[in-house]
Amino acid sequence: MTQGHPPAAGWPPPGNGPAPAAGPAGPPLTPGQPGAWPAYPPGPPPQPKSRRGLWIGLAAGALALAVCAGTAVGVGLGLRGDDEDGPAPKAAAGANGVTVTDAELTALLDRHSKALAAKDLNGYLAAFDPARKELISGQTQLFRNLAKLPLSVARYETIEKQGRASDAFGQGVTFQLDVSFVHRFDGFDLAPVTEWYRWTIVRAGRDAPIRVTAVTGAPAAGNGGSKTVYYPGPWDKWREIHVERTPHALVIADAARAGVAKRYAPAAEAAVVHDLAVWRAGGLPGPVPNGFVFALAKGKDELTTLYRIGTEKATEAGFSLGLVAAERKDGKDTIGGTRIVVDTEEPYFTRTGGANDAGMVFRHEVAHSLMTPRTDLAASDAFSKLDEWVVEGFAEYVAFHGRPLSASDRTAPAKRLVRDGWNGRLPGNGEWDNPDRLGFHYWLGHAAMNHLAEKHGEAKLFRFVEAVYGGAPADRAARDVLGVSLDEFEAGWAAYVRAQAR
């Protein structure tokens, strides 16, 4: 499972892959539109993996997506490019020229936002070219999907323009406008977050209306694991969504799979209740979400294309993605909310019996989502300093809290590897790319958290993990919180692990 630290479905955030290609990030928006666990040969089905690249890619994914988009995090950034309200464009418009001013675009988005708030479908569709039936159908369904969500904030703001919005010869103009959908789930997000769209804007002549002729996700620039910025949401991807709400969970699924959502909503609720109890016992100060938003993907294709268009196909069982807040707090970028996506085609969701079921996947990802808002995005440098064994070990620790290490499916194969000549070292981040050892590394991280809690107490475990999320190297966090060097901690932990393998 990945944290969409931020983006394993659980860990690594979008932004840890090859740079996306420039240009449209995907097909026009139409209806229907913070890792995997390694296999254990032999043994039970692999557990969901939570890789930091994905977490960071996802949780940081939020960071990676927004920051890697090549634009300052936040919305209402103002229109960039030519000064369409300057003297030259005005002169052109005064003759036979055609122009679309910044003021007109701002007014267009303001009307669009007000129509959504008023549940005015006709007003919401007014911006779109009525001749484009597929576009109108898609935006109609989007409007209806958004109406099903508990949004306390929902508005559209400008990010930037791509192309010229003026033509002095009266030929008409076509350009692209990147638009931020600023929204907040009531009771789930700590602050409003954003999703980026790219609208194609057309004005055919001087007196013609402004029309939107195509909608897709705004492309994320830079070295990221997603080609888009938090797009597509479930409301974009599926023609019709189904929503199940419990006291602490908001579960979103394709309406065709409403039965699946009903089946797993209680497990999602139980996972949040479990993790919140563990968190509160840990004693960390500061705001904590009262609940979390889940999306249920069917297979890896959907897992790769929810809240992101992955540069590589997903392999994880689920991920937790952190979304950068739409507005800075005290001049700093922060995480405003998280999104959890799980693949319900994974064995943990399809098999029956066994202690490590779908609930374990949910608990693991919720643990990532609880910690993600504690991340100091500037200090952690897009999570490049976060130690995988801390991130994934903590999620495993919380997921199995109250149960012995032997409850993990990873324990039996891990013990064999220890007895076969393990080196006694904490796995470095580069070692997590080895698929043959990934499950073992998850288990080693889990064992590290268990040992830390037993030797230093659970309160210090939480403080240690928080320090790492805050950008402190693990060695400094160990000295500051535990009062020992990382080498000293590692030596004690290695002895603990070998004792477990006897």
Side-chain angles (χ1 to χ4, degrees):
M1 291 178 292
T2 306
Q3 180 175 267
H5 255 167
W11 220 141
N16 290 345
L29 180 64
T30 57
Q33 160 124 346
W37 292 90
Y40 291 165
Q47 299 180 2
K49 156 178 118 186
S50 171
R51 303 191 314 184
R52 173 173 172 263
L54 291 180
W55 191 123
I56 291 185
L58 299 184
L63 172 65
L65 289 179
V67 172
C68 290
T71 304
V73 176
V75 294
L77 303 181
L79 299 170
R80 302 179 183 176
D82 299 327
D83 181 4
E84 305 299 349
D85 290 324
K90 288 181 179 178
N96 294 319
V98 178
T99 190
V100 177
T101 67
D102 292 355
E104 287 179 301
L105 293 173
T106 298
L108 177 72
L109 294 178
D110 185 57
R111 291 193 298 272
H112 197 59
S113 301
K114 290 179 178 177
L116 179 60
K119 302 186 183 304
D120 175 8
L121 176 59
N122 290 333
Y124 189 82
L125 297 176
F128 303 100
D129 184 352
R132 299 182 181 259
K133 302 303 182 184
E134 187 176 7
L135 175 65
I136 294 297
S137 175
Q139 293 300 312
T140 298
Q141 202 59 56
L142 173 60
F143 176 87
R144 290 171 177 163
N145 280 341
L146 293 177
K148 297 180 180 181
L149 301 172
L151 297 172
S152 59
V153 174
R155 66 178 184 271
Y156 295 86
E157 297 184 355
T158 59
I159 300 173
E160 64 179 345
K161 289 179 302 203
Q162 304 286 339
R164 293 185 58 82
S166 287
D167 183 273
F169 302 99
Q171 298 301 307
V173 294
T174 299
F175 61 96
Q176 293 174 318
L177 178 69
D178 288 349
V179 174
S180 173
F181 175 46
V182 181
H183 58 284
R184 182 175 188 172
F185 282 98
D186 186 29
F188 298 93
D189 292 331
L190 296 174
V193 297
T194 182
E195 175 187 10
W196 290 13
Y197 293 100
R198 174 163 284 186
W199 288 7
T200 298
I201 304 288
V202 173
R203 172 167 270 169
R206 180 183 176 188
D207 297 322
I210 300 171
R211 294 296 191 195
V212 180
T213 61
V215 177
T216 186
N223 183 25
S226 174
K227 298 177 183 179
T228 54
V229 182
Y230 307 134
Y231 168 94
W235 41 89
D236 304 304
K237 186 169 186 62
W238 294 317
R239 176 177 292 276
E240 182 180 359
I241 61 172
H242 176 81
V243 178
E244 287 288 324
R245 183 167 185 175
T246 68
H248 302 91
L250 187 74
V251 180
I252 308 172
D254 187 336
R257 304 178 71 229
V260 177
K262 293 178 183 294
R263 184 184 319 148
Y264 290 119
E269 168 68 15
V272 178
V273 171
H274 170 275
D275 285 15
L276 284 175
V278 176
W279 179 273
R280 287 164 182 153
L284 289 180
V288 176
N290 292 321
F292 297 91
V293 180
F294 300 80
L296 306 184
K298 183 180 182 180
K300 295 298 181 278
D301 287 342
E302 286 197 348
L303 193 68
T304 306
T305 54
L306 274 166
Y307 301 113
R308 58 178 178 172
I309 296 180
T311 55
E312 297 180 1
K313 188 170 181 177
T315 58
E316 62 268 26
F319 66 80
S320 165
L321 172 65
L323 279 64
V324 175
E327 298 179 356
R328 292 181 174 181
K329 182 178 181 180
D330 299 326
K332 297 175 62 177
D333 298 322
T334 61
I335 298 294
T338 63
R339 301 291 181 260
I340 295 169
V341 184
V342 299
D343 175 11
T344 57
E345 298 291 283
E346 278 283 317
Y348 276 94
F349 292 86
T350 58
R351 71 177 184 172
T352 58
N356 301 330
D357 55 6
M360 190 281 298
V361 181
F362 286 131
R363 292 191 298 273
H364 181 107
E365 300 308 337
V366 170
H368 282 313
S369 293
L370 278 166
M371 189 56 72
T372 303
R374 322 291 293 197
T375 307
D376 186 326
L377 299 181
S380 61
D381 189 22
F383 302 99
S384 63
K385 299 176 184 176
L386 292 182
D387 287 287
E388 201 79 60
W389 67 269
V390 176
V391 171
E392 296 305 339
F394 177 78
E396 288 289 88
Y397 174 83
V398 174
F400 287 95
H401 193 271
R403 288 185 286 171
L405 195 59
S406 59
S408 171
D409 283 347
R410 304 181 193 279
T411 299
K415 286 182 176 181
R416 289 194 293 270
L417 288 171
V418 172
R419 291 193 294 264
D420 287 345
W422 170 59
N423 64 9
R425 302 300 303 273
L426 290 163
N429 285 353
E431 299 176 65
W432 288 74
D433 293 331
N434 182 348
D436 295 331
R437 288 274 177 138
L438 187 57
F440 182 46
H441 293 157
Y442 271 90
W443 185 84
L444 291 176
H446 185 180
M449 295 297 115
N450 275 25
H451 171 63
L452 195 163
E454 290 178 15
K455 185 172 180 60
H456 300 278
E458 192 165 85
K460 285 193 175 181
L461 181 154
F462 272 79
R463 287 173 52 204
F464 170 79
V465 175
E466 181 184 42
V468 172
Y469 270 73
D475 182 63
R476 190 175 78 208
R479 291 180 183 277
D480 291 348
V481 178
L482 308 179
V484 299
S485 70
L486 188 61
D487 287 343
E488 291 174 293
F489 172 80
E490 186 177 58
W493 159 78
Y496 171 85
V497 168
R498 290 193 167 99
Q500 298 297 313
R502 290 174 188 162

